[in-house]
Every structure is written in structure tokens, then in C-alpha cells.
Amino acid sequence: MPALNRMLKIALVGGVALSVASCAAQRAMLPFGLGGKEENTAIATEGQRISVLEFEQQLAPSAALSGRDFFLPGPQAATAWPVPGGTIENSVEHVIAAPEFAVAWKRDIGAGSSKTSQVMAPIVADGGKVFVLDGDSTVTAVDSGSGEILWKHNVKPDERERGGGILGFGIGRGGGQVSGGFGGGVAVGGGKVFVASGYRTMSALDAATGAVLWTVRTDVPLHGAPTVAGARVFVVDIDNQIIAFDTATGQQSWSYRGIAEPARIMRASSPAVSGDTVIAPFSSGEVVALRASNGQAVWNQVLSRSSRTSALSEIRDIAGRPVISRGFVYAVSHSGMMQAMDIRSGQPKWSLPVAGVNAPLPAGDVVYVVSKSGELTLVNRDTGGVYWTKDLNVGRVRQEGGLFGFFDRTVRPEWSGPILASNRLVLVNSDGEAVAFDPKTGLQTASINLGSAAYVAPAAYNGALYVLTDRGELVSIR
């Protein structure tokens, strides 16, 4: 077998070499100079490397902050987590939660992620209940203490599909409920659970029983999770339109449409609200401030790097929730910009070259942010200076797939969070871990096996952390 493997590898390498040579010959044969001239090109000699990231800015720790301590507030009780960001500002600095950092219980709450659906809705909690939305658009209310399932309701429209089941369009099937919706999320307030759905519906359910109070249809699927503030509930659809609904009736109060951008990340972001200002995140990279009362635009910022080095960096989505804290808006785009903006004018205070899909975490004197490559960075809130950056994936990167040692791929875990809980900085990842880090140094202090990948940031409520895994399990950590 070793001899056979060596022969196969030699054959594969030979095939690649012949293909390259063939391509060069074909270029030389193209007419009108289409193949290009053969010119001297720079070749890396032994001991030299040409970086493909040479145009990318790098985060460097500030010499002025080296060895300097910073203030973090003490933990506070989280007696409600009614919206995906914990508060309508999406700002929770430090909570009392999971002091023992051990799993209390796990509950199967419904469908996990599949080829046609995704578990992506953040957890909310209030009135002794935790509310989650599974991969099949079923809302489940769970007793926050015992994990007992109290009620369930599926918000998928009861409509007959046209056609059958091929390619997800129902060809060859006799009908049933609509399938293939994704996105949306839940929020709770005033005794109601508000449910945004990828099936073009916005609903209000009775928080005690799950009974439907009202449902309205929307023109396009709702991608983001809702934020309820006062008499309105705000949500963003896949056309980059933020819609304000009346919480009592479901009637649309107003809407505002940003720049259309179909490319987006599979995360459910949510607007942030402070007073009469609502901050809307869009997949175009726009962060827009609007009057919560009438939808009038106040200012607009686009978080996008002027130099981009890959097609993936062209995706500008603000996939993590924007955060309002102490008069500033903090947001991160997928295309590589983190920015602090004055909430009144939108004027940037500072910006950093960070590409991310998670909400930043302002706490005390600092802001924590996790990049899409798995780097945890600690930033000075006032200046944007960097204290330190830690690679969370040290020891976790691995090679998978491939054939006889060729064409394997490098796998780096994806991280979601963080949340500062009982003096631990907690994140979850796609390897199925909940990991605690020292908030001062960034060093790992503990980890828990969740049993399945987790792509939704933890929520805190009544002394516990709650994590929803990609398999559709709700995990309580005490």
C-alpha cells in the first residue's frame, strides 16, 4: 500500500505539471497577443517568501498601552434578556452568570441546521422562560431553571407548495408546508414574543401560552432578528429594508430602504435603539441612524476598506449587531472595518482594520472584538489603540479531507461572542466548545464540551448562560 500511495502521488504531481505546461503552450498559441508575452517574472528564491497579504493592514499593539491596566466594571445581575443583544442598545458590559462554568442541563428544542435551514436566531429570555427559534421556524419556550419545554409554535405559513421536491421547489411531492425559509429571530416584550421569519411573516405570540396574537405578511423574507423598543418592533429584511411594526396590531409604522446587496453572511443581526434613534445594520456595509418615531434618516456611514484583496472581502455585511454605548456606536463589517461613531452625527472617532461577523463588546475602558479569522483583540475605548491580540485557534487548526495527502483543507474554528460573565470572557465555537478566557490577558482558563457546533453567541439570564447549538440543543451553563 505505501508503494501504491507513492505511485499515485507521483502520477498526480505529473498530471498537474503536464497541465501547467499545456496551459503555457496554449497561451503562446493564442492569436493577436491574447496569450500575453513571456516576460521575466519575480521568483522567490530559497529563504524568500512573497506575502499574499502584503497590502492588508495589520493590527499592532500600541506601545503607549504596553503594560497599562484598564478598568472593567463588576458583574451585574441579568434579570431579563428580552432582545438578542440583551438590551435595546445591544450593550451589556458584565453579567453575573455561570460562576461554576459547568453544564446544568441540555434540551433538544427542535430542528437543527440542514441543507435548507439554519439555526441562526439568538436566544432571548424573560419571565422565567427562555425563547428560541429552531432551524424549522419553530418557537420554543423553555423553563429557564429546569429546562422543561412549556410550549411550541411553528410560524411557517400553512400553504401548499406548487410543484415538487427537486432542488427544493417541491417537484414530485404532493404538497405541504412551505420549505426553505431561513433567517429571522425572536424578541420578547410586554407579554408578547415577536417572531421574524424567513417565510415573509412577522408574528406576535402570547409569551405565556404561545397563542398567535397577530401575523402580518411581508414582501420579502426577514433576515434579521427583531428588536422591540416601546411600542415598535424593528427588523431588517433581505432587501436591506428596516421595517417598524406596531407591537399591538402588527401594522407597519414606517420603513427605510438601504442600498440593495444580496451577498450576506448567515447571521441574524439586529438594530440597536437609544431614545428616538435606531441604528440599522445592512449587508451593504451601511450603518444608518434613523428617527425611531418616523424612520427619517439622520446619518449614514459605510464600513468598507478602500483596498480589498479577495472576492470574500467584497462582502460588506454588518453581520454582528451594532452596539450603542456611552454616546457612541460600535460596529464591525465583514469586509474589514471596525469603527466607533458618534451617535448624534455619525462622525467616526476611530477605526481599525478588523473583519468580523460578531458584535463588539464595550466594557469599562475597553472594547473586545473577535475577527472572522479567530483573533480576539482588546481595544482602548477612547483612542482605538490596541492592548493585545490573541489567536484563539492556536492548537485548534487542523487538516481535513484530501486524497492520499493531497488537496486537504485547513480547518479553523469559527467563534461567536464574546460575553463577559462573572469575570470570564466567554465564547463558543464551531468545534462545539464554550471557552472561557481571562478578560485582562486573553489567556484561556476553562472550556466545556457542548456536544455540537455553536454559531450563536451565548445569552445570560438569572445567573446562567444559555447556548443554542447547531444541532438544535439548548445548553444551560451554571
Side-chain angles (χ1 to χ4, degrees), residues 277-320:
T277 302
V278 55
I279 305 296
F282 294 131
S283 65
S284 58
E286 292 178 283
V287 178
V288 182
L290 307 159
R291 295 297 178 205
S293 54
N294 57 23
Q296 180 181 354
V298 179
W299 54 259
N300 181 315
Q301 285 284 346
V302 179
L303 305 191
S304 177
R305 298 273 299 279
S306 58
S307 63
R308 295 182 291 274
T309 57
S310 71
L312 195 59
S313 68
E314 292 286 346
I315 301 177
R316 304 180 181 184
D317 197 4
I318 311 293

Side-chain angles (χ1 to χ4, degrees), residues 328-343:
F328 286 88
V329 178
Y330 300 87
V332 184
S333 77
H334 181 273
S335 64
M337 180 176 285
M338 174 184 179
Q339 194 158 273
M341 298 154 279
D342 188 294
I343 192 173

Side-chain angles (χ1 to χ4, degrees), residues 144-197:
S144 62
S146 66
E148 178 188 358
I149 294 178
L150 304 175
W151 55 258
K152 286 177 172 284
H153 178 78
N154 191 294
V155 297
K156 189 185 301 183
D158 188 15
E159 297 176 353
R160 293 288 166 179
E161 293 181 313
R162 298 174 182 176
I166 299 176
L167 299 178
F169 292 102
I171 300 172
R173 288 195 308 219
Q177 285 187 316
V178 176
S179 64
F182 76 95
V186 292
V188 59
K192 301 181 180 74
V193 179
F194 300 94
V195 190
S197 163

Side-chain angles (χ1 to χ4, degrees), residues 62-386:
S62 169
L65 297 176
S66 178
R68 182 181 295 183
D69 197 12
F70 52 87
F71 168 75
L72 288 175
Q76 303 294 317
T79 57
W81 197 275
V83 290
T87 67
I88 59 174
E89 294 88 1
N90 291 331
S91 177
V92 177
E93 295 199 2
H94 193 178
V95 295
I96 299 171
E100 298 176 8
F101 204 62
V103 173
W105 49 258
K106 296 181 180 181
R107 290 293 180 274
D108 184 352
I109 56 89
S113 294
S114 67
K115 292 181 179 179
T116 59
S117 61
Q118 297 289 327
V119 174
M120 55 186 286
I123 300 164
V124 298
D126 197 15
K129 303 179 185 67
V130 177
F131 303 94
V132 290
L133 184 68
D134 73 1
D136 193 39
S137 295
T138 295
V139 183
T140 302
V142 180
D143 184 279
S144 62
S146 66
E148 178 188 358
I149 294 178
L150 304 175
W151 55 258
K152 286 177 172 284
H153 178 78
N154 191 294
V155 297
K156 189 185 301 183
D158 188 15
E159 297 176 353
R160 293 288 166 179
E161 293 181 313
R162 298 174 182 176
I166 299 176
L167 299 178
F169 292 102
I171 300 172
R173 288 195 308 219
Q177 285 187 316
V178 176
S179 64
F182 76 95
V186 292
V188 59
K192 301 181 180 74
V193 179
F194 300 94
V195 190
S197 163
Y199 293 98
R200 306 186 183 194
T201 63
M202 184 72 199
S203 303
L205 312 178
D206 186 292
T209 65
V212 178
L213 302 176
W214 53 256
T215 296
V216 294
R217 298 301 301 266
T218 56
D219 293 333
V220 297
L222 300 176
H223 176 74
T227 298
V228 57
R232 294 181 180 87
V233 56
F234 306 94
V235 68
V236 177
D237 67 21
I238 64 168
D239 279 351
N240 279 344
Q241 178 179 230
I242 181 172
I243 307 171
F245 297 93
D246 184 279
T247 57
T249 65
Q251 181 178 354
Q252 181 175 316
S253 301
W254 54 259
S255 66
Y256 173 91
R257 190 180 301 274
I259 300 171
E261 175 52 71
R264 63 179 68 246
I265 303 300
M266 294 288 284
R267 297 252 178 167
S269 188
S270 304
V273 182
S274 178
D276 192 39
T277 302
V278 55
I279 305 296
F282 294 131
S283 65
S284 58
E286 292 178 283
V287 178
V288 182
L290 307 159
R291 295 297 178 205
S293 54
N294 57 23
Q296 180 181 354
V298 179
W299 54 259
N300 181 315
Q301 285 284 346
V302 179
L303 305 191
S304 177
R305 298 273 299 279
S306 58
S307 63
R308 295 182 291 274
T309 57
S310 71
L312 195 59
S313 68
E314 292 286 346
I315 301 177
R316 304 180 181 184
D317 197 4
I318 311 293
R321 292 179 293 273
V323 178
I324 301 172
S325 178
R326 302 184 190 178
F328 286 88
V329 178
Y330 300 87
V332 184
S333 77
H334 181 273
S335 64
M337 180 176 285
M338 174 184 179
Q339 194 158 273
M341 298 154 279
D342 188 294
I343 192 173
R344 297 165 299 179
S345 65
Q347 181 68 30
K349 185 176 185 181
W350 50 259
S351 61
L352 289 172
V354 177
V357 296
N358 289 290
L361 171 61
D365 293 338
V366 297
V367 182
Y368 297 93
V369 63
V370 178
S371 73
K372 64 184 181 184
S373 61
E375 292 181 329
L376 172 64
T377 299
L378 181 66
V379 181
N380 183 278
R381 180 197 286 261
D382 291 329
T383 67
V386 175

